[in-house]
Amino acid sequence: MGLGSGNGGGKRRLISTGSPFEKTAGYSRAVIDGDWCFVSGTTGYDYATMTMPESVEEQTRNCLSTIRATLLEGSFELADVVRAHYYVTSQSYVSRVFPILGEAFGDIRPAATMIVCQLNEPEMKIEIEVTALRRNRTGSYTGSLAQNRIAD
């Protein structure tokens, strides 16, 4: 993975895994803007071998591994994830991926949505997209939610 060019020294940074899909389709694996990290939809490819595992469980683990590495490269942690979108190609996969997602996000508990849909290639069974907000390392977020709260 490597950082792409930013916006001339500003707070926006681009992260790439080197996947050929990123260049062909014109997107970044992640965009970091200040304390936010937006990780693009990530499928279960093993980027070291450019192969796709057969099982949805292994694809899910690969998605999470790629997402973790992307977040770490941007100085984020999985615990910073505040939003997750899951796309699966069969309703039968839901119960198979829930335990794996629970292992990764059970203590974090981001807002999440799962959608059953078709993906770009027939071998793709799951795609995961996350948004992270950098916390200070005491466990709270850098901005005060209380400051943004509307009085009752």
Side-chain angles (χ1 to χ4, degrees), residues 78-144:
L78 201 60
D80 293 325
V81 173
V82 295
R83 182 76 170 132
H85 293 117
Y86 310 111
Y87 307 93
V88 294
T89 58
S90 172
Q91 192 172 16
S92 68
Y93 296 154
V94 173
S95 62
R96 292 167 59 186
V97 301
F98 269 3
I100 299 164
L101 298 173
E103 288 173 17
F105 293 112
D107 292 334
I108 302 163
R109 299 186 56 196
T113 301
M114 183 172 283
I115 297 170
V116 178
C117 62
Q118 289 184 323
L119 295 175
N120 293 352
E121 299 294 336
E123 67 270 17
M124 296 175 177
K125 296 178 179 173
I126 185 165
E127 184 169 327
I128 303 173
E129 172 187 353
V130 302
T131 302
L133 175 60
R134 190 185 333 271
R135 301 169 299 119
N136 66 33
R137 295 303 166 219
T138 62
S140 62
Y141 291 96
T142 56
S144 170

Side-chain angles (χ1 to χ4, degrees), residues 6-78:
N7 62 353
K11 295 190 291 184
R12 186 172 186 249
R13 294 185 351 195
L14 308 178
I15 295 178
S16 173
T17 58
S19 162
F21 304 119
E22 294 168 17
K23 179 132 177 98
T24 302
Y27 71 96
S28 296
R29 172 61 43 212
V31 175
I32 298 171
D33 196 342
D35 287 333
W36 290 94
C37 182
F38 304 90
V39 180
S40 294
T42 303
T43 61
Y45 278 108
D46 177 339
Y47 288 105
T49 63
M50 283 310 292
T51 59
M52 179 68 76
E54 181 63 31
S55 78
V56 69
E57 294 88 352
E58 195 59 33
Q59 287 188 28
T60 303
R61 289 183 186 94
N62 283 355
C63 292
L64 293 169
S65 177
T66 300
I67 289 168
R68 269 191 202 95
T70 300
L71 290 168
L72 287 173
E73 182 166 343
S75 299
F76 287 81
E77 298 175 4
L78 201 60

